[in-house]
């Protein structure tokens, strides 16, 4: 539960080398608006990873990976928030 209930978190980037995110890691981060998920393989996680976040949350994922994220446990629950994005290495 790394950021559970963190109300000052607005934006977060999940680095490319992350392969797993613990259950409820971002749950109740009520002001989280933008999540950049750099891994091309969706990190293993649970369905409540983002429960209680802002309803207008955007999850940016690498272009060409949307089908992987749409079927992955934990990510498929937020399929309507997924946005493919061209990542810049310098970001």
């Amino acid at each position: 539960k790394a950021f559970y209930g963190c109300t000052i978190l607005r934006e977060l980037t999940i680095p490319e080398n992350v392969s797993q995110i613990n259950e409820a890691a971002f749950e109740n981060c009520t002001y989280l608006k933008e999540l950049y998920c750099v891994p091309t393989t969706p990190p293993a996680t649970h369905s409540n990873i983002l429960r209680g976040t802002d309803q207008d949350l955007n999850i940016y994922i690498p272009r060409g990976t949307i089908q992987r994220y749409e079927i992955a446990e934990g990510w498929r629950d937020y399929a309507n928030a997924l946005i493919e994005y061209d990542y810049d290495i310098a970001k």
Side-chain angles (χ1 to χ4, degrees):
K1 296 186 180 186
F3 295 97
Y4 179 90
C6 182
T7 58
I8 62 169
L9 190 62
R10 305 281 189 266
E11 179 181 311
L12 182 71
T13 299
I14 297 172
E16 186 174 359
N17 62 343
V18 172
S19 61
Q20 182 174 341
I21 300 172
N22 290 337
E23 183 176 2
F26 310 110
E27 188 174 345
N28 292 326
C29 292
T30 53
Y31 295 104
L32 182 61
K33 289 268 200 195
E34 296 181 328
L35 179 63
Y36 293 88
C37 196
V38 181
T40 55
T41 299
T45 192
H46 301 274
S47 62
N48 63 347
I49 181 178
L50 294 164
R51 185 177 21 211
T53 57
D54 192 294
Q55 290 182 336
D56 294 326
L57 173 68
N58 291 318
I59 303 171
Y60 297 96
I61 58 173
R63 188 166 307 284
T65 63
I66 196 155
Q67 289 179 331
R68 289 182 215 152
Y69 276 84
E70 286 177 332
I71 63 170
E73 183 177 353
W75 299 101
R76 66 177 162 236
D77 298 330
Y78 306 98
N80 61 335
L82 296 173
I83 300 168
E84 288 188 300
Y85 184 81
D86 290 320
Y87 281 96
D88 181 325
I89 299 294
K91 184 169 171 92

